[in-house]
Amino acid sequence: MGVSTLVGSLIGSLSSILMSSDAINMIYGFLAVIAVILMVLPTRASMEQLALSEVNYNRSIAISSAFIVGGIAGIVGAGGAFILIPIMLTILKIPTRITIASSLAIVFLSAVGGVIGKFASGDIPVMLSIFAVVGSLLGAPIGAVVSRRMNVRLLRYALVVLIAMTAVKIWMDIVS
C-alpha cells in the first residue's frame, strides 16, 4: 500500500497546480464526510482480537484504494490518514490498532510523494512547516503511548470526532 500511495500522492500533488483552491477544498470536504461515514459503520468486534499474522485482506483493493487515496491526498496536501484509516477499518477489515500503526508507515510514504510534488510547485511555506514538524515530533510519541492504553472503541470515536470537526470546518470555509 505504501508504494502505491507514494506514487499516487506524487501524481496528485503535481497535478494540483492545475486546480483552483475552491476545487481542492471541495475534494477535501467530500473526503472528510466520506471518512466520517465509513468510521461510524459498524465493524465486527471479533475482528479486533486478530493478531497481525491472522489478518487477511484483498490486496488488489488495498493497492488500488491506496493509490487513489495517495492521489487525492497529494492534491489536498494531506498525508491521507483521515481517509486511509476508515478504508482500512471498514473495507479491508483490518483491526484498529494494526490499522493505526500501519497507516503511519503508509502515510509517511504518501507524505514523501506529496512533499516532493508540493515543493516542486512552490506550495510549501518552509518556516510554518518547520514548526509543524517539530510539534509533530514532540507529540507523536506521547500520542502513541496514550493510544496504546486507550480502549479501541474510544480511540475510534475520538478519530470520528476529529475528522467530523475537520469536515465541518472545511464546509464552513467553502460555504462562507
Side-chain angles (χ1 to χ4, degrees):
M1 288 180 75
V3 173
S4 56
T5 58
L6 187 143
V7 172
S9 67
L10 182 57
I11 292 168
S13 62
L14 289 171
S15 66
S16 69
I17 298 168
L18 307 172
M19 303 174 117
S20 70
S21 294
D22 290 339
I24 292 171
N25 283 336
M26 291 283 282
I27 291 169
Y28 194 44
F30 280 117
L31 277 183
V33 170
I34 292 168
V36 170
I37 292 168
L38 287 174
M39 287 297 292
V40 296
L41 291 175
T43 57
R44 294 186 320 252
S46 62
M47 171 184 89
E48 295 299 337
Q49 281 27 20
L50 294 176
L52 180 59
S53 60
E54 300 171 322
V55 175
N56 293 311
Y57 57 90
N58 185 312
R59 296 198 192 304
S60 298
I61 292 173
I63 291 168
S64 59
S65 63
F67 178 77
I68 293 166
V69 166
I72 295 170
I75 289 170
V76 300
F82 73 98
I83 188 70
L84 186 64
I85 289 173
I87 289 171
M88 292 174 74
L89 289 171
T90 57
I91 296 172
L92 298 175
K93 306 216 182 305
I94 298 173
T96 302
R97 293 195 193 281
I98 295 171
T99 292
I100 291 171
S102 301
S103 73
L104 287 172
I106 296 165
V107 170
F108 171 75
L109 292 173
S110 174
V112 167
V115 166
I116 291 168
K118 293 291 185 181
F119 194 74
S121 63
D123 289 336
I124 297 180
V126 177
M127 287 308 294
L128 180 61
S129 299
I130 289 170
F131 288 116
V133 168
V134 169
S136 296
L137 288 174
L138 296 173
I142 296 166
V145 170
V146 170
S147 76
R148 180 172 291 154
R149 296 174 187 202
M150 283 181 74
N151 177 299
V152 171
R153 177 165 270 144
L154 182 60
L155 194 59
R156 188 172 175 143
Y157 288 133
L159 187 56
V160 168
V161 168
L162 184 63
I163 295 170
M165 287 173 29
T166 303
V168 168
K169 164 76 170 92
I170 291 166
W171 283 107
M172 285 176 56
D173 289 348
I174 290 170
V175 173
S176 60

